[in-house]
Amino acid sequence: MKITRSEVEHVARLARLELSDSELDTFTGQMDGILAYVEKLNALDTEGIVPTSHAVPMENAFRPDQPADSIGVEAALANAPLRAESFFRVPKVIE
Amino acid sequence: MKYQVVIGLEVHTQLTTNTKIFCGCSTRFGAEPNSQTCPVCLGFPGALPVLNKQVVENAILAGLATNCSITQRNVFARKNYFYPDLPKGYQISQFDLPICQHGHLDIEVDGEQKRIGITRIHMEEDAGKLVHADIPGVDDSCVDLNRACTPLLEIVSEPDMRSPDEAIAYLKKLHQIVMYLGICDGNLEEGSFRCDANVSLMPVGSTVFGTRAELKNINSFKFIKQAIEYEIERQAEILDDGGKVIQETRLFDPNTGTTRSMRGKEEAHDYRYFPDPDLVPVLITDQWIEDVRATLPELPEAKRARYVAELGLPEYDAEVLVSSRELAQYYEETVALFPQAKTVSNWVMGEVSRALNEDNNRSITDCQVTPALLADLLKLMEKGTISGKIAKTVFDEMYKTGKAPEKIVEEKGLVQVSDTGAIEAMVDEVLNNNPAQVEQYRGGKETVFGFFVGQVMRASKGKANPAVVNELLLKKLNG
């Protein structure tokens, strides 16, 4: 086994996903299969090769520190399910 | 049991760039909520972040100023967690390839030098602000995303500090450096310079660190000290009772001076970092580093050493004068015009600082007595046009009105009297009016001399040249 049922449960919880027992079984099996397949890469000798972080051979894409227009409060809040004055309104966060 | 505290600090400094780290929205503080937002910082699907070049240069500056090595190939990573102030569900940060590593700062506590290691400095975006807004009928939390995507440098120290005082010394030093560099406004209250403290205890003599608690929400140097002191007490009590310190995040409460646990954050600490595919790597060449190095200002430590070695100032004076870049600049500009280092130092640390303090801690940059005006005043004193005592009166008037010292001296008729004839008349009068004291002096009680000087100065309204007064008095008394 490349991944356990409880690991899948943990990852699902981190992603705020609620999975039924049968879904957990299904996904554990599927993810195990995927990981086993990808495991083949471990057969390659990658000694001295810099880990790939990006697929596109490009670097240093910068923006100068010059202000651009913002979209405005109304546009920003247009899709908000709830608002209060100019704020996004969310269930109370207690900490 | 006796315990040794072990402290490591994480400091988030908000950079003073005009725009956010990945979009062109303004970073101005205090604007209407959500008015400085766009698809990128709101986390709208499909929006593409583009890195602000200034952030990279500021990070290199910070690294060079703290003796770090600069990482050549930088990658941004996503730190995944859910919180309402984080619109994308991840924070763009750096993980295994931070821009600066392996630095250090030297601090001094009770006359002892100590080197504090800096593990890393990395670039990241800030989250938005959760507000419990005072809106009638609304008990929910409110989110303002103006701060979201504001550039931060997170500066992580090694767990090298062994007392609250060392922690404060390190923080003050770091604070001074980012202010000197001009990359952070240093405002603790507005959250531009935020500190988290990792605190643990181990038995004295041990080398194995205990379990640490992470203290958050501390926005003044005083509170940092308080929070650490409270935490030392709390953990010592647990350990003395045979208990175990739990690794957790604790919030400092400034009202009670205590810390309390933030519940249920443990599982969320699994951030599942991975390289952000939206942002290409940043390659920093040696040439770029050297170009940035050329813009490094003289840092407080070097300045202090120079003031002592080249200007001959006492350590104490040098330390005070370099405390802020603005004060040091004021001092240097004045010395350039009136090259008597110690006299200028006395005035800047004395009259100038006193006047600013009494004036609501006004900043030196708002002082009406410019370096040029202060130098003019000192020149008048040096020439003997006015006495040191009168100079202070003139200074107060300059501070209030911004007028030139010559003008004030002329308007108020404060020119020092060095005319021997005029002073002699005053000396005679004082001696005639105080025969008893004259008798005492001649009988051997030389301490009365000061009394005569005082009387003559008063008779002249402070304008008599003290050297001439002394000379004449001595001559007449000793007959």
Side-chain angles (χ1 to χ4, degrees):
Chain A
M1 287 287 274
K2 301 291 167 209
I3 192 166
T4 65
R5 197 171 186 273
S6 73
E7 281 172 322
V8 176
E9 226 178 332
H10 172 64
V11 173
R13 198 159 43 237
L14 289 174
R16 300 289 195 273
L17 293 173
E18 206 175 321
L19 302 182
S20 68
D21 276 355
S22 68
E23 279 173 325
L24 264 178
D25 289 334
T26 309
F27 292 143
T28 306
Q30 288 178 348
M31 287 169 100
D32 194 55
I34 293 168
L35 289 171
Y37 177 69
V38 174
E39 174 102 327
K40 285 182 186 167
L41 290 176
N42 281 345
L44 292 171
D45 179 10
T46 54
E47 190 67 34
I49 296 174
V50 181
T52 304
S53 59
H54 294 79
V56 189
M58 189 183 159
E59 63 257 344
N60 291 2
F62 296 122
R63 189 176 58 73
D65 186 27
Q66 280 158 15
D69 285 341
S70 295
I71 59 172
V73 176
E74 288 314 311
L77 293 172
N79 293 316
L82 275 174
R83 63 182 282 184
E85 296 177 356
S86 303
F87 292 102
F88 292 93
R89 187 169 158 183
V90 298
K92 190 168 184 169
V93 181
I94 323 150
E95 204 71 73
Chain B
M1 197 190 277
K2 290 281 267 180
Y3 298 104
Q4 171 64 62
V5 65
V6 175
I7 305 164
L9 296 168
E10 289 171 23
V11 173
H12 288 86
T13 56
Q14 195 177 306
L15 298 178
T16 47
T17 53
N18 298 317
T19 66
K20 296 185 177 182
I21 180 170
F22 299 122
C23 65
C25 289
S26 167
T27 51
R28 194 166 53 90
F29 186 80
E32 182 191 355
N34 295 304
S35 63
Q36 292 170 177
T37 56
C38 76
V40 172
C41 54
L42 289 165
F44 286 175
L48 201 62
V50 185
L51 180 59
N52 183 342
K53 192 173 183 186
Q54 188 68 43
V55 172
V56 181
E57 306 206 323
N58 285 356
I60 297 172
L61 261 184
L64 294 176
T66 53
N67 311 293
C68 288
S69 58
I70 308 297
T71 308
Q72 272 204 333
R73 185 172 186 276
N74 285 267
V75 170
F76 283 96
R78 293 185 181 180
K79 177 179 179 178
N80 299 281
Y81 67 95
F82 289 111
Y83 212 67
D85 60 11
L86 188 74
K88 294 190 291 294
Y90 59 84
Q91 178 194 26
I92 305 177
S93 181
Q94 292 189 278
F95 184 51
D96 54 349
L97 294 168
I99 185 159
C100 315
Q101 297 184 80
H102 314 302
H104 62 85
L105 285 184
D106 292 330
I107 59 165
E108 201 179 303
V109 174
D110 296 330
E112 270 188 53
Q113 283 256 339
K114 181 162 179 182
R115 179 157 290 185
I116 307 298
I118 289 177
T119 317
R120 58 184 282 156
I121 301 176
H122 69 252
M123 304 173 279
E124 63 182 24
E125 59 177 340
D126 206 345
K129 208 181 257 174
L130 268 176
V131 189
H132 300 278
D134 195 15
I135 301 173
V138 177
D139 191 35
D140 291 347
S141 294
C142 293
V143 185
D144 173 8
L145 295 178
N146 281 350
R147 198 181 66 183
C149 215
T150 293
L152 299 177
L153 291 184
E154 180 174 333
I155 304 168
V156 183
S157 86
E158 291 288 311
D160 283 348
M161 286 147 281
R162 294 289 177 272
S163 73
D165 285 337
E166 286 184 11
I168 300 299
Y170 166 81
L171 283 172
K172 287 198 166 159
K173 183 117 198 206
L174 189 60
H175 186 254
Q176 198 182 42
I177 286 175
V178 294
M179 301 267 291
Y180 258 76
L181 296 175
I183 62 174
C184 175
D185 70 18
N187 191 324
L188 274 76
E189 265 170 46
E190 283 177 9
S192 307
F193 188 92
R194 309 196 283 268
C195 172
D196 299 340
N198 289 311
V199 179
S200 68
L201 297 185
M202 60 185 179
V204 167
S206 169
T207 50
V208 185
F209 292 171
T211 307
R212 67 171 194 266
E214 186 183 354
L215 312 181
K216 281 190 181 287
N217 191 36
I218 343 183
N219 67 356
S220 80
F221 291 124
K222 194 180 104 198
F223 289 157
I224 291 160
K225 195 166 171 187
Q226 256 183 39
I228 295 173
E229 280 167 353
Y230 173 82
E231 195 56 25
I232 293 171
E233 231 173 87
R234 185 187 74 87
Q235 293 187 16
E237 228 165 83
I238 293 174
L239 295 172
D240 280 340
D241 292 346
K244 275 188 177 151
V245 175
I246 306 165
Q247 182 167 345
E248 60 180 353
T249 305
R250 299 181 66 85
L251 264 184
F252 177 70
D253 182 346
N255 295 317
T256 58
T258 61
T259 65
R260 65 188 158 82
S261 177
M262 286 172 83
R263 293 158 297 117
K265 276 241 157 178
E266 280 65 39
E267 190 170 42
H269 273 297
D270 187 349
Y271 292 126
R272 294 145 295 144
Y273 284 94
F274 65 88
D276 191 323
D278 286 343
L279 289 154
V280 298
V282 178
L283 291 191
I284 301 172
T285 59
D286 290 344
Q287 184 57 51
W288 194 3
I289 295 173
E290 290 318 308
D291 288 348
V292 174
R293 195 191 302 277
T295 69
L296 263 180
E298 185 182 30
L299 291 171
E301 220 168 75
K303 231 183 226 315
R304 195 179 73 168
R306 181 168 65 82
Y307 284 7
V308 173
E310 288 180 19
L311 300 178
L313 288 185
E315 279 282 350
Y316 176 78
D317 291 41
E319 176 85 41
V320 172
L321 292 171
V322 305
S323 62
S324 83
R325 188 176 173 176
E326 292 75 19
L327 188 67
Q329 190 176 339
Y330 183 95
Y331 172 73
E332 288 178 24
E333 282 176 18
T334 312
V335 169
L337 298 167
F338 185 78
Q340 294 186 20
K342 180 58 182 159
T343 305
V344 175
S345 166
N346 290 344
W347 274 79
V348 172
M349 287 169 49
E351 295 310 302
V352 177
S353 298
R354 178 192 53 77
L356 292 167
N357 283 344
E358 286 170 3
D359 191 6
N360 235 333
N361 274 324
R362 183 184 282 268
S363 158
I364 185 93
T365 48
D366 299 334
C367 184
Q368 291 206 71
V369 184
T370 59
L373 287 175
L374 180 60
D376 285 346
L377 175 67
L378 299 180
K379 283 177 198 159
L380 285 182
M381 211 173 78
E382 197 196 22
K383 275 192 295 190
T385 311
I386 55 173
S387 67
K389 189 149 181 269
I390 293 291
K392 290 186 181 176
T393 314
V394 175
F395 176 82
D396 284 339
E397 190 65 19
M398 290 166 74
Y399 187 86
K400 274 187 235 137
T401 61
K403 281 187 192 165
E406 299 86 349
K407 194 142 188 257
I408 294 169
V409 168
E410 192 194 306
E411 279 176 6
K412 306 217 160 192
L414 296 171
V415 176
Q416 177 163 272
V417 179
S418 301
D419 170 14
T420 316
I423 296 175
E424 190 167 1
M426 288 184 258
V427 168
D428 285 343
E429 197 186 335
V430 167
L431 295 183
N432 286 335
N433 290 342
N434 299 284
Q437 282 84 352
V438 174
E439 209 52 40
Q440 283 179 10
Y441 180 85
R442 290 190 173 140
K445 197 177 171 197
E446 295 193 355
T447 46
V448 189
F449 190 74
F451 164 78
F452 294 122
V453 176
Q455 291 296 312
V456 177
M457 291 309 284
R458 185 187 291 177
S460 75
K461 299 196 176 67
K463 290 188 287 184
N465 183 329
V468 178
V469 172
N470 277 330
E471 193 191 310
L472 284 172
L473 273 171
L474 276 175
K475 204 167 90 187
K476 302 230 166 204
L477 283 165
N478 297 334

